[in-house]
């Protein structure tokens, strides 16, 4: 090989090496960068958010659920029905449960259906009206004199005993428990008797406009047509034990919170929310329907 050929070969070898090195460098430069995710100081790592748990709405009175004297509202409930089923006035249940609108109660809401217990020293003591002349005066034994006043009577204690033993006039129309003498609320014939499952009272016939009478002394706790199936309805509370209900009237003659006397005309018979003219009459003992025929005098 000539010198020119030798030089040409060397140049070609150098050129080939240069091309080879250039390709390697190009491959190294085009390689994707590697990111260090292990322990870069000051690096903010992505935070996975915890699932958001929706807040559960706590309905009024939830803390009293299941306690005696409380009731949890169920689908289809109405305040008036809850009150009557527990032997209470709808207004009282609304007041005890801090309800401003009796027509708006919520499923799951807890209502107080028993009177609040007094925290005073007389809590648990039930007072009943006493008719004048039925109390026998009791002579109190003398109290021992206080130290230093042996010759002076205890005037305050004596006066209190005298006042307590004096006859008390009946100032309330609410009778004592189980001491009611009932009368028939109207004079018609009985159309349907008591059936705990189908008819929670007596259906008594008559003509439109016939008088409906209070079966006993009491206080009006409801007047209106808010209870489905009863039409124009009156509910009387007679004591802590008994309520009476008078349904399907055409005319209501009394108002809520009014005191009524036994035999007083409170309504006129009608056919509101009924298939004929009649009076539906119920007696409820502690809210539970009982057979009125067992309480009314025989005819």
């Amino acid at each position: 090989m000539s010198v020119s050929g030798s030089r040409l070969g060397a140049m070609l070898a150098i050129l080939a090496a240069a091309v080879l090195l250039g390709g390697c460098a190009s491959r190294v430069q085009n390689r994707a960068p590697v990111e260090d995710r292990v322990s870069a100081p000051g690096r903010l790592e992505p935070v996975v958010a915890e699932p958001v748990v929706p807040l559960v709405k706590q309905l009024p009175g939830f803390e009293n659920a299941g306690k005696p004297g409380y009731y949890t509202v169920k689908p289809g409930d109405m305040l008036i029905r809850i009150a009557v089923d527990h032997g209470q006035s709808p207004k009282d249940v609304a007041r005890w449960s801090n309800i401003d609108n009796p027509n708006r109660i919520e499923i799951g809401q807890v209502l107080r259906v028993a009177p609040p217990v007094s925290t005073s020293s007389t809590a648990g003591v039930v007072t009943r009206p006493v008719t004048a002349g039925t109390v026998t005066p009791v002579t109190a034994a003398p109290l021992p004199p206080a130290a230093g006043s042996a010759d002076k009577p205890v005037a305050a204690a004596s006066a209190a005993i005298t006042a307590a033993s004096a006859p008390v006039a009946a100032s309330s129309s609410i009778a004592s428990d189980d001491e009611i003498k009932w009368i028939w609320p109207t004079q018609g014939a009985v159309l349907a008797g008591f059936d705990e499952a189908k008819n929670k009272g007596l259906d008594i016939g008559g003509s439109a406009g016939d008088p409906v009478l209070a079966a006993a002394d009491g206080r009006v706790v409801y007047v209106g047509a808010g209870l489905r199936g009863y039409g124009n309805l009156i509910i009387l509370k007679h004591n802590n034990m008994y309520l009476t209900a008078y349904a399907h009237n055409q005319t209501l003659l009394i108002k809520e919170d009014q005191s009524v006397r036994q035999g007083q005309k409170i309504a006129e018979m009608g056919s509101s929310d009924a298939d004929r003219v009649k009076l539906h009459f119920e007696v409820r003992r502690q809210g539970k329907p009982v057979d009125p025929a067992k309480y009314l005098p025989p005819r």
Side-chain angles (χ1 to χ4, degrees):
M1 180 180 296
S2 64
V3 174
S4 298
S6 177
R7 289 179 178 177
L8 179 60
M11 291 176 64
L12 290 175
I14 293 171
L15 181 59
V19 171
L20 180 61
L21 291 174
C24 293
S26 175
R27 285 195 295 270
V28 172
Q29 289 175 358
N30 292 334
R31 187 174 58 181
V34 177
E35 183 178 358
D36 182 7
R37 296 178 177 267
V38 179
S39 59
R43 176 182 177 80
L44 295 177
E45 294 293 336
V47 178
V48 179
E50 295 291 335
V52 178
V53 179
L55 295 177
V56 178
K57 179 183 178 182
Q58 298 290 7
L59 295 174
F62 73 94
E63 69 279 5
N64 296 314
K67 294 181 181 179
Y70 291 88
Y71 175 83
T72 302
V73 177
K74 298 178 177 61
D77 277 345
M78 298 177 61
L79 180 65
I80 178 177
R81 169 65 75 183
I82 294 170
V84 171
D85 286 348
H86 289 85
Q88 305 296 345
S89 158
K91 279 189 174 181
D92 285 342
V93 172
R95 177 167 51 85
W96 297 336
S97 305
N98 297 317
I99 294 175
D100 296 327
N101 186 353
N103 296 319
R104 295 187 63 182
I105 56 177
E106 300 183 70
I107 297 172
Q109 184 174 353
V110 180
L111 308 181
R112 179 186 279 276
V113 292
V117 178
S118 172
T119 57
S120 66
S121 59
T122 58
V125 177
V126 179
T127 59
R128 297 175 177 173
V130 182
T131 305
T134 61
V135 178
T136 303
V138 178
T139 302
L143 297 176
S149 58
D151 298 330
K152 296 180 180 180
V154 185
S158 177
I161 294 172
T162 301
S165 62
V168 180
S171 58
S172 171
S173 61
I174 304 298
S176 300
D177 297 347
D178 288 322
E179 294 181 3
I180 299 176
K181 303 299 182 183
W182 305 89
I183 67 169
W184 283 81
T186 192
Q187 296 303 313
V190 175
L191 304 175
F194 175 80
D195 185 314
E196 190 170 355
K198 299 179 180 179
N199 191 34
K200 300 183 184 301
L202 299 179
D203 289 344
I204 306 172
S207 301
D210 282 356
V212 175
L213 311 178
D217 295 352
R219 179 173 63 90
V220 184
V221 296
Y222 181 78
V223 175
L227 193 57
R228 184 178 302 172
Y230 283 77
N232 294 325
L233 173 66
I234 292 174
I235 300 176
L236 303 182
K237 184 168 185 174
H238 302 284
N239 54 25
N240 293 329
M241 190 75 68
Y242 289 103
L243 298 175
T244 52
Y246 309 75
H248 306 309
N249 305 288
Q250 73 172 12
T251 307
L252 305 175
L253 304 176
I254 54 178
K255 58 185 180 181
E256 290 185 11
D257 295 325
Q258 178 180 338
S259 293
V260 298
R261 305 299 298 181
Q262 185 179 70
Q264 179 178 338
K265 183 179 177 180
I266 59 175
E268 293 179 349
M269 192 181 298
S271 58
S272 58
D273 210 2
D275 57 355
R276 59 167 296 173
V277 174
K278 62 182 177 181
L279 171 68
H280 176 75
F281 174 67
E282 293 184 9
V283 176
R284 289 183 175 245
R285 188 177 189 274
Q286 293 183 325
K288 181 181 179 181
V290 293
D291 187 356
K294 295 181 179 180
Y295 294 82
L296 298 171
R299 286 179 166 177

